Amino acid sequence: MSTARTTSTGPVRYERRGPVAVVTMDRPEYRNAQNSAMTYALDRAFYRAAEDGEVKVVVLAGAGGHFSAGHDIGTPERDAHLPFERRAGLWWDHSDKEGAESRFARESEVYLGMCRRWRELPKPVVASVQGACVAGGLMLAWICDLIVASEDAFFADPVVRMGIPGVEYFAHPWVMPPRIAKEFLYTGDRMSARRAYEVGMVNRVVPRAELTDSTFELAHRIAEMPRMGLALTKRAVNQAEDLQGLHTGMDAVFGLHHLAHAHNAETAHDALGGMDIHAMLRRSGGRPSRPGEAEA
């Protein structure tokens, strides 16, 4: 089996193992917190996999102990204020704007826009999830077609603590039953990998030591199918989800998300309701492994 040389695009590594492309988030010291540099590196990696005629399946993974602990809200490399080339939509640059105009433009691009773009990659994508998959990490797992989780993986969306109704890519009532989604959001509690499997959000749960092998076994099995058949099947299921309201539902909740940011900006310390990473971790019973980290 031929394997392309592993290459790095900033905070993301790209490797090809036969017909499987491996896209790995590579900020393990910050639990793979997603800054804009990582988001655009992921976009380049997904494009590379899409354009490579020898790639039939993509695996999305996170280096180190965690898949992703969410959006970067406090690392030394946080770059939300910086301009980047627009790739996911036609909203203007956010970096020279203020207030809701800035935040809505940025999140339309790097959060909702990018995730929708990646969901439409016409090749199956398998998430390999260990440790934390929190808030923004959920968005990355949910754009994948299948999720293989290790037994120590956990899932959470604690942003209701900020007064915000869930992360920007609001797939909650589609990836789990609505009453489970409400409990998940209302409490902000962590959902175990086993519970995620029980409610249908995760395809397989395996021991941590077997996560990589199990993920690639599944990816290679899928890669035996014809490329066009896989692309059309993915399109068919995605269209069915959209007919069930996924796309329009996300648009509606994205507006509520930004209403919450605006409310916080008027009534609290900032648009996050004064909830920095340390406050979020105290509320969830966790702690950062070093100063400045992601949501957890």
Side-chain angles (χ1 to χ4, degrees), residues 109-142:
E109 165 78 5
V110 299
Y111 296 155
L112 182 60
M114 285 294 194
C115 284
R116 280 180 164 170
R117 173 189 184 89
W118 301 334
R119 175 179 176 254
E120 297 304 319
L121 174 68
K123 297 179 180 181
V125 184
V126 182
S128 182
V129 177
Q130 81 282 11
C133 183
V134 177
L138 291 171
M139 294 166 48
L140 297 183
W142 287 347

mmCIF file of all heavy atoms in Angstrom, residues 109-142:
data_model
loop_
_atom_site.group_PDB
_atom_site.id
_atom_site.type_symbol
_atom_site.label_atom_id
_atom_site.label_comp_id
_atom_site.label_asym_id
_atom_site.label_seq_id
_atom_site.Cartn_x
_atom_site.Cartn_y
_atom_site.Cartn_z
ATOM 1 N N GLU A 109 -18.343 32.815 8.459
ATOM 2 C CA GLU A 109 -17.247 32.261 7.668
ATOM 3 C C GLU A 109 -16.601 31.059 8.341
ATOM 4 O O GLU A 109 -16.639 29.945 7.824
ATOM 5 C CB GLU A 109 -16.198 33.369 7.442
ATOM 6 C CG GLU A 109 -14.842 32.922 6.943
ATOM 7 C CD GLU A 109 -14.806 32.596 5.465
ATOM 8 O OE1 GLU A 109 -15.825 32.807 4.782
ATOM 9 O OE2 GLU A 109 -13.762 32.113 4.988
ATOM 10 N N VAL A 110 -16.015 31.273 9.520
ATOM 11 C CA VAL A 110 -15.129 30.239 10.078
ATOM 12 C C VAL A 110 -15.863 29.142 10.841
ATOM 13 O O VAL A 110 -15.290 28.067 11.056
ATOM 14 C CB VAL A 110 -14.045 30.840 10.997
ATOM 15 C CG1 VAL A 110 -13.157 31.799 10.234
ATOM 16 C CG2 VAL A 110 -14.663 31.531 12.210
ATOM 17 N N TYR A 111 -17.090 29.375 11.241
ATOM 18 C CA TYR A 111 -17.805 28.355 11.993
ATOM 19 C C TYR A 111 -18.905 27.722 11.146
ATOM 20 O O TYR A 111 -18.744 26.631 10.610
ATOM 21 C CB TYR A 111 -18.376 28.936 13.285
ATOM 22 C CG TYR A 111 -17.335 29.423 14.259
ATOM 23 C CD1 TYR A 111 -17.623 30.403 15.203
ATOM 24 C CD2 TYR A 111 -16.035 28.914 14.240
ATOM 25 C CE1 TYR A 111 -16.671 30.851 16.102
ATOM 26 C CE2 TYR A 111 -15.072 29.354 15.129
ATOM 27 C CZ TYR A 111 -15.397 30.326 16.049
ATOM 28 O OH TYR A 111 -14.447 30.768 16.936
ATOM 29 N N LEU A 112 -20.019 28.409 10.967
ATOM 30 C CA LEU A 112 -21.130 27.819 10.216
ATOM 31 C C LEU A 112 -20.741 27.566 8.764
ATOM 32 O O LEU A 112 -20.982 26.482 8.220
ATOM 33 C CB LEU A 112 -22.351 28.735 10.291
ATOM 34 C CG LEU A 112 -23.604 28.228 9.581
ATOM 35 C CD1 LEU A 112 -24.068 26.908 10.163
ATOM 36 C CD2 LEU A 112 -24.723 29.266 9.653
ATOM 37 N N GLY A 113 -20.126 28.550 8.127
ATOM 38 C CA GLY A 113 -19.795 28.410 6.713
ATOM 39 C C GLY A 113 -18.822 27.287 6.435
ATOM 40 O O GLY A 113 -19.027 26.473 5.518
ATOM 41 N N MET A 114 -17.731 27.224 7.199
ATOM 42 C CA MET A 114 -16.736 26.179 6.976
ATOM 43 C C MET A 114 -17.325 24.787 7.233
ATOM 44 O O MET A 114 -17.075 23.847 6.477
ATOM 45 C CB MET A 114 -15.513 26.403 7.859
ATOM 46 C CG MET A 114 -14.612 27.520 7.398
ATOM 47 S SD MET A 114 -13.812 27.158 5.805
ATOM 48 C CE MET A 114 -12.565 28.447 5.805
ATOM 49 N N CYS A 115 -18.085 24.655 8.302
ATOM 50 C CA CYS A 115 -18.640 23.330 8.612
ATOM 51 C C CYS A 115 -19.607 22.869 7.533
ATOM 52 O O CYS A 115 -19.592 21.698 7.128
ATOM 53 C CB CYS A 115 -19.319 23.355 9.983
ATOM 54 S SG CYS A 115 -18.157 23.346 11.362
ATOM 55 N N ARG A 116 -20.442 23.752 7.030
ATOM 56 C CA ARG A 116 -21.340 23.369 5.947
ATOM 57 C C ARG A 116 -20.551 22.970 4.699
ATOM 58 O O ARG A 116 -20.901 22.011 4.004
ATOM 59 C CB ARG A 116 -22.269 24.539 5.618
ATOM 60 C CG ARG A 116 -23.437 24.660 6.574
ATOM 61 C CD ARG A 116 -24.298 25.833 6.199
ATOM 62 N NE ARG A 116 -25.591 25.737 6.858
ATOM 63 C CZ ARG A 116 -26.483 26.725 6.872
ATOM 64 N NH1 ARG A 116 -26.216 27.861 6.260
ATOM 65 N NH2 ARG A 116 -27.638 26.563 7.480
ATOM 66 N N ARG A 117 -19.502 23.687 4.440
ATOM 67 C CA ARG A 117 -18.653 23.420 3.281
ATOM 68 C C ARG A 117 -18.038 22.025 3.388
ATOM 69 O O ARG A 117 -18.034 21.245 2.435
ATOM 70 C CB ARG A 117 -17.602 24.519 3.256
ATOM 71 C CG ARG A 117 -16.469 24.467 2.296
ATOM 72 C CD ARG A 117 -15.517 25.593 2.734
ATOM 73 N NE ARG A 117 -14.377 25.777 1.878
ATOM 74 C CZ ARG A 117 -14.367 26.567 0.819
ATOM 75 N NH1 ARG A 117 -15.474 27.197 0.457
ATOM 76 N NH2 ARG A 117 -13.270 26.723 0.098
ATOM 77 N N TRP A 118 -17.517 21.704 4.571
ATOM 78 C CA TRP A 118 -16.855 20.412 4.776
ATOM 79 C C TRP A 118 -17.858 19.256 4.763
ATOM 80 O O TRP A 118 -17.530 18.158 4.331
ATOM 81 C CB TRP A 118 -16.063 20.427 6.070
ATOM 82 C CG TRP A 118 -15.002 21.488 6.103
ATOM 83 C CD1 TRP A 118 -14.369 22.057 5.027
ATOM 84 C CD2 TRP A 118 -14.468 22.120 7.259
ATOM 85 N NE1 TRP A 118 -13.473 23.011 5.454
ATOM 86 C CE2 TRP A 118 -13.504 23.070 6.807
ATOM 87 C CE3 TRP A 118 -14.693 21.991 8.624
ATOM 88 C CZ2 TRP A 118 -12.777 23.865 7.699
ATOM 89 C CZ3 TRP A 118 -13.973 22.783 9.513
ATOM 90 C CH2 TRP A 118 -13.024 23.711 9.039
ATOM 91 N N ARG A 119 -19.056 19.499 5.254
ATOM 92 C CA ARG A 119 -20.090 18.445 5.232
ATOM 93 C C ARG A 119 -20.360 17.975 3.813
ATOM 94 O O ARG A 119 -20.728 16.819 3.592
ATOM 95 C CB ARG A 119 -21.367 18.980 5.871
ATOM 96 C CG ARG A 119 -22.567 18.035 5.807
ATOM 97 C CD ARG A 119 -23.770 18.640 6.496
ATOM 98 N NE ARG A 119 -24.953 17.809 6.381
ATOM 99 C CZ ARG A 119 -25.994 18.068 5.578
ATOM 100 N NH1 ARG A 119 -25.994 19.151 4.795
ATOM 101 N NH2 ARG A 119 -27.042 17.261 5.547
ATOM 102 N N GLU A 120 -20.177 18.856 2.833
ATOM 103 C CA GLU A 120 -20.483 18.534 1.448
ATOM 104 C C GLU A 120 -19.299 17.925 0.699
ATOM 105 O O GLU A 120 -19.408 17.671 -0.511
ATOM 106 C CB GLU A 120 -20.962 19.797 0.720
ATOM 107 C CG GLU A 120 -22.260 20.371 1.277
ATOM 108 C CD GLU A 120 -23.395 19.360 1.271
ATOM 109 O OE1 GLU A 120 -23.535 18.613 0.279
ATOM 110 O OE2 GLU A 120 -24.138 19.301 2.274
ATOM 111 N N LEU A 121 -18.174 17.702 1.352
ATOM 112 C CA LEU A 121 -17.064 17.008 0.702
ATOM 113 C C LEU A 121 -17.579 15.691 0.115
ATOM 114 O O LEU A 121 -18.114 14.863 0.853
ATOM 115 C CB LEU A 121 -15.958 16.734 1.724
ATOM 116 C CG LEU A 121 -14.765 15.892 1.270
ATOM 117 C CD1 LEU A 121 -13.943 16.658 0.246
ATOM 118 C CD2 LEU A 121 -13.897 15.501 2.456
ATOM 119 N N PRO A 122 -17.451 15.452 -1.190
ATOM 120 C CA PRO A 122 -18.085 14.275 -1.795
ATOM 121 C C PRO A 122 -17.309 12.978 -1.614
ATOM 122 O O PRO A 122 -17.314 12.118 -2.487
ATOM 123 C CB PRO A 122 -18.166 14.672 -3.275
ATOM 124 C CG PRO A 122 -17.028 15.592 -3.480
ATOM 125 C CD PRO A 122 -16.878 16.362 -2.193
ATOM 126 N N LYS A 123 -16.669 12.844 -0.470
ATOM 127 C CA LYS A 123 -16.004 11.606 -0.081
ATOM 128 C C LYS A 123 -16.348 11.360 1.383
ATOM 129 O O LYS A 123 -16.428 12.318 2.167
ATOM 130 C CB LYS A 123 -14.490 11.721 -0.264
ATOM 131 C CG LYS A 123 -14.075 11.930 -1.715
ATOM 132 C CD LYS A 123 -12.571 12.063 -1.897
ATOM 133 C CE LYS A 123 -12.232 12.277 -3.374
ATOM 134 N NZ LYS A 123 -10.775 12.398 -3.620
ATOM 135 N N PRO A 124 -16.562 10.130 1.790
ATOM 136 C CA PRO A 124 -16.893 9.863 3.192
ATOM 137 C C PRO A 124 -15.785 10.346 4.125
ATOM 138 O O PRO A 124 -14.595 10.189 3.828
ATOM 139 C CB PRO A 124 -17.024 8.341 3.236
ATOM 140 C CG PRO A 124 -17.345 7.939 1.829
ATOM 141 C CD PRO A 124 -16.589 8.900 0.969
ATOM 142 N N VAL A 125 -16.201 10.911 5.244
ATOM 143 C CA VAL A 125 -15.269 11.389 6.270
ATOM 144 C C VAL A 125 -15.598 10.672 7.577
ATOM 145 O O VAL A 125 -16.752 10.659 8.011
ATOM 146 C CB VAL A 125 -15.360 12.914 6.464
ATOM 147 C CG1 VAL A 125 -14.309 13.380 7.460
ATOM 148 C CG2 VAL A 125 -15.186 13.643 5.127
ATOM 149 N N VAL A 126 -14.576 10.093 8.198
ATOM 150 C CA VAL A 126 -14.736 9.358 9.446
ATOM 151 C C VAL A 126 -13.981 10.092 10.545
ATOM 152 O O VAL A 126 -12.784 10.337 10.416
ATOM 153 C CB VAL A 126 -14.197 7.913 9.321
ATOM 154 C CG1 VAL A 126 -14.420 7.151 10.625
ATOM 155 C CG2 VAL A 126 -14.854 7.189 8.147
ATOM 156 N N ALA A 127 -14.672 10.450 11.624
ATOM 157 C CA ALA A 127 -14.022 11.086 12.768
ATOM 158 C C ALA A 127 -13.489 10.021 13.712
ATOM 159 O O ALA A 127 -14.174 9.038 14.003
ATOM 160 C CB ALA A 127 -15.012 11.982 13.514
ATOM 161 N N SER A 128 -12.273 10.229 14.170
ATOM 162 C CA SER A 128 -11.638 9.348 15.153
ATOM 163 C C SER A 128 -11.477 10.160 16.432
ATOM 164 O O SER A 128 -10.610 11.025 16.521
ATOM 165 C CB SER A 128 -10.278 8.886 14.620
ATOM 166 O OG SER A 128 -9.644 7.998 15.504
ATOM 167 N N VAL A 129 -12.340 9.894 17.420
ATOM 168 C CA VAL A 129 -12.488 10.791 18.569
ATOM 169 C C VAL A 129 -12.000 10.146 19.853
ATOM 170 O O VAL A 129 -12.464 9.066 20.232
ATOM 171 C CB VAL A 129 -13.966 11.216 18.734
ATOM 172 C CG1 VAL A 129 -14.139 12.090 19.965
ATOM 173 C CG2 VAL A 129 -14.445 11.943 17.482
ATOM 174 N N GLN A 130 -11.092 10.833 20.532
ATOM 175 C CA GLN A 130 -10.635 10.431 21.860
ATOM 176 C C GLN A 130 -10.711 11.638 22.792
ATOM 177 O O GLN A 130 -10.674 12.777 22.340
ATOM 178 C CB GLN A 130 -9.203 9.875 21.813
ATOM 179 C CG GLN A 130 -8.093 10.903 21.786
ATOM 180 C CD GLN A 130 -7.886 11.547 20.422
ATOM 181 O OE1 GLN A 130 -8.682 11.403 19.517
ATOM 182 N NE2 GLN A 130 -6.786 12.294 20.287
ATOM 183 N N GLY A 131 -10.833 11.390 24.080
ATOM 184 C CA GLY A 131 -10.829 12.482 25.046
ATOM 185 C C GLY A 131 -11.957 13.466 24.802
ATOM 186 O O GLY A 131 -13.097 13.094 24.507
ATOM 187 N N ALA A 132 -11.625 14.748 24.905
ATOM 188 C CA ALA A 132 -12.633 15.802 24.814
ATOM 189 C C ALA A 132 -13.085 16.047 23.380
ATOM 190 O O ALA A 132 -12.269 16.175 22.463
ATOM 191 C CB ALA A 132 -12.076 17.096 25.404
ATOM 192 N N CYS A 133 -14.391 16.115 23.209
ATOM 193 C CA CYS A 133 -15.017 16.585 21.974
ATOM 194 C C CYS A 133 -16.086 17.569 22.431
ATOM 195 O O CYS A 133 -17.235 17.194 22.684
ATOM 196 C CB CYS A 133 -15.604 15.424 21.179
ATOM 197 S SG CYS A 133 -16.329 15.915 19.592
ATOM 198 N N VAL A 134 -15.684 18.819 22.581
ATOM 199 C CA VAL A 134 -16.502 19.802 23.287
ATOM 200 C C VAL A 134 -16.806 20.995 22.397
ATOM 201 O O VAL A 134 -15.911 21.499 21.701
ATOM 202 C CB VAL A 134 -15.776 20.272 24.570
ATOM 203 C CG1 VAL A 134 -16.567 21.360 25.288
ATOM 204 C CG2 VAL A 134 -15.546 19.089 25.508
ATOM 205 N N ALA A 135 -18.049 21.455 22.420
ATOM 206 C CA ALA A 135 -18.491 22.675 21.739
ATOM 207 C C ALA A 135 -18.008 22.690 20.291
ATOM 208 O O ALA A 135 -18.512 21.948 19.459
ATOM 209 C CB ALA A 135 -18.049 23.901 22.528
ATOM 210 N N GLY A 136 -17.029 23.543 19.960
ATOM 211 C CA GLY A 136 -16.521 23.585 18.598
ATOM 212 C C GLY A 136 -15.989 22.255 18.119
ATOM 213 O O GLY A 136 -15.972 21.969 16.913
ATOM 214 N N GLY A 137 -15.549 21.401 19.027
ATOM 215 C CA GLY A 137 -15.125 20.056 18.650
ATOM 216 C C GLY A 137 -16.288 19.224 18.143
ATOM 217 O O GLY A 137 -16.136 18.397 17.236
ATOM 218 N N LEU A 138 -17.473 19.428 18.725
ATOM 219 C CA LEU A 138 -18.674 18.739 18.246
ATOM 220 C C LEU A 138 -18.941 19.072 16.790
ATOM 221 O O LEU A 138 -19.308 18.203 15.994
ATOM 222 C CB LEU A 138 -19.888 19.156 19.080
ATOM 223 C CG LEU A 138 -19.956 18.701 20.532
ATOM 224 C CD1 LEU A 138 -21.115 19.399 21.218
ATOM 225 C CD2 LEU A 138 -20.100 17.192 20.628
ATOM 226 N N MET A 139 -18.769 20.341 16.449
ATOM 227 C CA MET A 139 -19.042 20.758 15.085
ATOM 228 C C MET A 139 -18.173 19.989 14.098
ATOM 229 O O MET A 139 -18.638 19.572 13.034
ATOM 230 C CB MET A 139 -18.798 22.262 14.952
ATOM 231 C CG MET A 139 -19.772 23.095 15.766
ATOM 232 S SD MET A 139 -19.306 24.832 15.979
ATOM 233 C CE MET A 139 -18.882 25.334 14.338
ATOM 234 N N LEU A 140 -16.913 19.791 14.445
ATOM 235 C CA LEU A 140 -16.014 19.067 13.556
ATOM 236 C C LEU A 140 -16.391 17.593 13.465
ATOM 237 O O LEU A 140 -16.323 16.992 12.390
ATOM 238 C CB LEU A 140 -14.571 19.212 14.036
ATOM 239 C CG LEU A 140 -14.010 20.631 14.034
ATOM 240 C CD1 LEU A 140 -12.554 20.614 14.460
ATOM 241 C CD2 LEU A 140 -14.153 21.278 12.660
ATOM 242 N N ALA A 141 -16.773 16.998 14.584
ATOM 243 C CA ALA A 141 -17.200 15.594 14.544
ATOM 244 C C ALA A 141 -18.505 15.439 13.776
ATOM 245 O O ALA A 141 -18.685 14.474 13.015
ATOM 246 C CB ALA A 141 -17.348 15.052 15.964
ATOM 247 N N TRP A 142 -19.420 16.390 13.938
ATOM 248 C CA TRP A 142 -20.734 16.264 13.338
ATOM 249 C C TRP A 142 -20.726 16.455 11.828
ATOM 250 O O TRP A 142 -21.661 16.004 11.154
ATOM 251 C CB TRP A 142 -21.698 17.251 13.988
ATOM 252 C CG TRP A 142 -22.102 16.850 15.375
ATOM 253 C CD1 TRP A 142 -21.915 15.637 15.973
ATOM 254 C CD2 TRP A 142 -22.769 17.672 16.346
ATOM 255 N NE1 TRP A 142 -22.427 15.652 17.255
ATOM 256 C CE2 TRP A 142 -22.953 16.886 17.512
ATOM 257 C CE3 TRP A 142 -23.221 18.992 16.351
ATOM 258 C CZ2 TRP A 142 -23.574 17.386 18.658
ATOM 259 C CZ3 TRP A 142 -23.840 19.495 17.491
ATOM 260 C CH2 TRP A 142 -24.017 18.692 18.639
#
